[in-house]
Amino acid sequence: MLGTVAFQGARGAFSYEACLALRPWNEPKGYETFAEAIAAVASGECECGLIPVENSIVGLLPDPNRLIEEHGLKIVAEAWRPMRQMLMGQPDAKLTDLKTVESHPVALGQCKASVASLGLKPVEAYDTAGAAELVAASGDLSRAAIAPAVAAEIYELKILRADMQDSADNRTRFVVVER
């Protein structure tokens, strides 16, 4: 659909944030998986997609890169964006209450040492903001999420620790793809 930009994730995800910053004239439309977001562009359902393809800590992201190539999409723009990971939990939660932390596997990889230093068990989720949404809905003080600050606002969570990423120079390269 003309005017829409596909992204992987829920409202409040890093890709959602990137859409608002880099494509403010487009309406962001979230998809649960990279495959669904990229297929939406390939089919013409969305005008373009904003897809993360590389991170300064974890390197190239194989799935999105492979899917972009398989669908024959062209990259028309790119931008590196800082990734500031926030640890968030229930409004009444304290760090000492936490037992698990949920997030996208790439985000968990970017925060591995920080998560270990807090003694938290990592739990993989399909998306950073999706994890925040699940944690918020649970009402469980022992569950936390790692996601962008905007997710804490959207899902009414409290940021318990800022800058969970292991590297201060944590950045992700996003590309705009079209048919």
Side-chain angles (χ1 to χ4, degrees):
M1 179 188 330
L2 200 59
T4 57
V5 57
F7 71 95
Q8 183 276 321
R11 267 182 358 106
F14 283 108
S15 292
Y16 174 80
E17 212 176 41
C19 288
L20 296 180
L22 302 173
R23 303 288 296 192
W25 56 89
N26 285 123
E27 179 68 30
K29 185 171 182 183
Y31 294 86
E32 189 167 324
T33 67
F34 288 120
E36 291 169 340
I38 291 167
V41 176
S43 72
E45 182 180 327
C46 292
E47 177 182 1
C48 64
L50 190 62
I51 308 294
V53 295
E54 183 178 4
N55 177 267
S56 59
I57 294 174
V58 298
L60 288 176
L61 307 179
D63 287 346
N65 281 290
R66 177 183 50 77
L67 290 164
I68 290 167
E69 186 176 323
E70 283 177 3
H71 282 86
L73 300 180
K74 62 182 177 184
I75 295 172
V76 296
E78 67 175 57
W80 282 92
R81 297 198 31 92
M83 296 288 109
R84 295 193 60 219
Q85 305 280 9
M86 307 295 164
L87 180 68
M88 55 193 70
Q90 299 298 324
D92 297 333
K94 299 185 249 356
L95 276 175
T96 54
D97 296 326
L98 303 180
K99 292 183 177 33
T100 62
V101 61
E102 303 169 35
S103 197
H104 187 276
V106 173
L108 289 170
Q110 295 168 8
C111 304
K112 196 177 232 176
S114 296
V115 167
S117 74
L118 293 173
L120 301 177
K121 178 185 175 198
V123 177
E124 291 187 0
Y126 81 95
D127 177 56
T128 55
E133 185 176 23
L134 291 172
V135 167
S138 77
D140 186 342
L141 295 178
S142 72
R143 290 174 66 180
I146 290 176
V150 68
E153 292 174 33
I154 291 170
Y155 302 110
E156 300 178 354
L157 295 172
K158 177 171 80 175
I159 295 175
L160 299 167
R161 181 170 286 173
D163 294 322
M164 286 289 289
Q165 66 277 359
D166 295 336
S167 169
D169 188 35
N170 184 24
R171 298 173 297 125
T172 294
R173 181 168 62 104
F174 287 88
V175 296
V176 177
V177 293
E178 294 179 351
R179 290 194 304 165

